[in-house]
Amino acid sequence: MGTDVNVQPGHGKAGRQPTRQFLDTLSGHDDPGMFGRMFPTLEPLAVDNGPLRELADAMKDPTPGDPTGNNANVPAGFTYLGQFVDHDITLDLTSFGDKEADPMAVQNFRTPALDLDSIYGLGPDGSRHLYARNSANDSGRTPGPKLLIGKTVNVGAGNITGDHRNDLPRSPEGFALIGDHRNDENLLVAQTHLAMLKFHNKVCDQLAASGKPAGEIFEEARQIVTWHYQWMVLHDFVERITEKGIVAKILEQGRRFYRFKQIPYMPVEFSAAVYRLGHSMVREVYSHNRIFTPGGAAPATLDLLFRFTGLSGGIIGDLAPNPIQPPLPLPVLSSNWIIDWRRFYQVMPSNPPGVGLNLSRKLDPFVVPQLHSLPGESSGSNTASLPFRNLKRGVLLGLPSGQDVAKAMKIKNPLTPAEISKGTDGAVAKKHGLHEHTPLWYYILKEAEQRGGGERLGPVGATLLAEVFVGLVHGDHQSYLWLKGKSWKPTLPSQVPGEFTMADLLRFVGDVSPIDNISTV
């Protein structure tokens, strides 16, 4: 397959994208369409490419394998749950005709929401290719309530035997049959998507066993799954990287900065700055399962995690050689790459010897070297550096400085120029005056480093992140916040009754480490 794996093949490119020209026409907190600004009156920060490039280069993690750079508060699975969530809230399902007639989505647009349309598409009627046949009725001529799950293929390495349904469903040429193609761009987000498919199917099984009429199972299962997912994102994901209780505080006091009249929009301060925090959480090497782990057959490098996909790598369906010639290309995912979730979330009180828990990298201004030299780009070019792309995108979209945002928010203790100047990266920022007028994305990461100890976001980042997620859930008229209110609690089995975490979801699904015959713990 060569080495030209695209590690960002579709990131941020599904649907429509905001433009500076459109954003500059907005003012206030009306309902602007799909995109808008939380701080429309703030002046944009203009920075030339040269200083941006130097700052991006200084953001390279010099010791990506050093455990002191790990975030003990955030297991590595949350990095890719965050990517899954990103794709959920940015998927644009409006028709091509609507996009042509209304390219900036001022009138015709799909509301950003935590509604799992990346899983459900348009439902069994509108997206039949996502659903299993209804074997109970019509001799299987109609789709049933459950989602399709793909099989893996056994290869020699690892000596995995038996049939495993642990891949995304795929077309004859290897494309994932899922609601958002971007969820097949790396193996960890693909396996996260798969866990969500299995979550829905397990709820369907539970409802069927309780005697629920067949015609009512899909809608009820979707509501149960979506509400538990929304609660989990707000309380297990958002509060893990911000602070415990921040969601309740915002629900009690109201959103001060992410405001809309009726319909949520996607704020560029969030999409182009705050929520790009995940890039600093990425590791270069993971312990994926007992086969692909440091000390095993091979460590699960970031490069390999892109190769074993259909969108970025070498899963190509019937186009693969027959008989197959592993490792790649392959018709479907090989069984020896099925994930061991114990290594990505705390599904057990403590893992047994030899089963390591991957931690995310700290929330700080440092990004692993591989994301500074993306494959398929010219060596040393601006486009090869993901940090440069992020910084440049902020300038192109007219984002304000971190200092101006902190001032507009009336933050009591904003970062000082001296704090921003700390470290080798800070010295470069100071060289170009960016310690006093700081790109918003870099400010958010520096604030997490200086105020959150690299484990949590600081006051600007935490407030904006939490407000947007609360607003996206509350603005969805099918959400638990809208229909049941803030007092609703999860009802599915969980370690702590009334709560629901990603680890609870995986235990409920019962698919913790299939190649080790571990269903639940």
Side-chain angles (χ1 to χ4, degrees), residues 70-349:
N70 292 338
N71 185 347
N73 187 54
V74 184
F78 286 98
T79 308
Y80 299 92
L81 176 62
Q83 186 180 21
F84 175 89
V85 170
D86 175 43
H87 294 169
D88 185 31
I89 62 180
T90 60
L91 176 61
D92 180 7
L93 292 175
T94 46
S95 70
F96 180 77
D98 281 341
K99 291 175 186 178
E100 288 290 290
D102 185 20
M104 286 315 302
V106 178
Q107 296 178 336
N108 300 310
F109 71 99
R110 187 200 141 269
T111 304
L114 285 165
D115 58 3
L116 288 176
D117 53 5
S118 60
I119 292 292
Y120 294 113
L122 300 175
D125 291 332
S127 299
R128 286 190 168 209
H129 61 289
L130 303 180
Y131 293 83
R133 285 183 181 271
N134 190 350
S135 58
N137 299 297
D138 300 330
S139 300
R141 290 193 296 270
T142 60
K146 296 176 75 172
L147 292 152
L148 281 174
I149 305 292
K151 282 188 176 182
T152 56
V153 62
N154 293 331
V155 297
N159 298 315
I160 309 301
T161 60
D163 292 330
H164 296 279
R165 285 196 172 272
N166 286 88
D167 190 18
L168 299 172
R170 297 189 180 278
S171 75
E173 295 189 354
F175 291 128
L177 300 176
I178 54 178
D180 190 326
H181 67 282
R182 295 172 296 173
N183 284 345
D184 192 27
E185 72 179 29
N186 70 69
L187 186 54
L188 295 180
V189 75
Q191 294 278 286
T192 302
H193 189 107
L194 177 67
M196 295 297 176
L197 299 179
K198 292 191 172 191
F199 180 33
H200 170 85
N201 288 355
K202 186 65 177 285
V203 172
C204 287
D205 290 340
Q206 189 180 67
L207 291 173
S210 72
K212 178 68 62 176
E216 300 176 15
I217 288 178
F218 173 74
E219 289 299 335
E220 184 161 343
R222 179 171 187 169
Q223 182 182 81
I224 291 171
V225 167
T226 303
W227 284 9
H228 281 75
Y229 164 72
Q230 290 169 342
W231 199 96
M232 178 186 75
V233 169
L234 291 182
H235 295 278
D236 190 29
F237 176 65
V238 169
E239 293 198 330
R240 184 177 292 269
I241 58 177
T242 56
E243 60 182 88
K244 196 71 174 175
I246 194 172
V247 170
K249 180 180 177 182
I250 291 170
L251 289 172
E252 181 67 28
Q253 298 180 359
R255 288 174 276 109
R256 295 180 295 158
F257 310 109
Y258 179 53
R259 299 164 57 196
F260 47 85
K261 288 187 175 180
Q262 292 182 319
I263 303 173
Y265 65 94
M266 181 53 59
V268 289
E269 297 93 339
F270 174 84
S271 64
V274 177
Y275 203 52
R276 293 187 178 238
L277 61 89
H279 294 157
S280 75
M281 297 167 65
V282 173
R283 303 185 63 86
E284 282 198 320
V285 175
Y286 294 87
S287 173
H288 188 76
N289 57 28
R290 62 176 166 80
I291 303 163
F292 295 102
T293 184
T301 62
L302 195 57
D303 177 67
L304 286 175
L305 292 170
F306 280 89
R307 289 179 180 278
F308 285 87
T309 65
L311 183 58
S312 309
I315 294 179
I316 57 175
D318 293 344
L319 301 179
N322 187 14
I324 61 174
Q325 300 173 16
L328 289 170
L330 290 170
V332 295
L333 182 67
S334 52
S335 300
N336 57 2
W337 273 102
I338 297 171
I339 198 167
D340 177 353
W341 287 115
R342 298 172 299 172
R343 301 170 191 263
F344 290 88
Y345 293 96
Q346 292 171 309
V347 296
M348 304 179 70

Side-chain angles (χ1 to χ4, degrees), residues 24-53:
D24 285 350
T25 68
L26 303 175
S27 63
H29 291 279
D30 293 335
D31 294 340
M34 182 170 285
F35 307 105
R37 297 189 192 276
M38 283 187 281
F39 304 97
T41 62
L42 296 184
E43 288 291 322
L45 178 65
V47 185
D48 292 337
N49 282 356
L52 292 182
R53 180 73 213 195

Side-chain angles (χ1 to χ4, degrees), residues 470-519:
V470 170
L472 292 179
V473 176
H474 192 251
D476 174 7
H477 291 190
Q478 300 301 314
S479 72
Y480 81 87
L481 280 178
W482 185 268
L483 293 176
K484 291 293 185 180
K486 60 187 180 182
S487 62
W488 181 84
K489 298 294 184 183
T491 58
L492 291 177
S494 59
Q495 196 169 54
V496 179
E499 296 186 4
F500 197 74
T501 66
M502 186 63 182
D504 289 322
L505 183 152
L506 295 167
R507 286 188 288 262
F508 175 76
V509 168
D511 200 22
V512 171
S513 185
I515 68 172
D516 297 309
N517 297 313
I518 299 173
S519 57

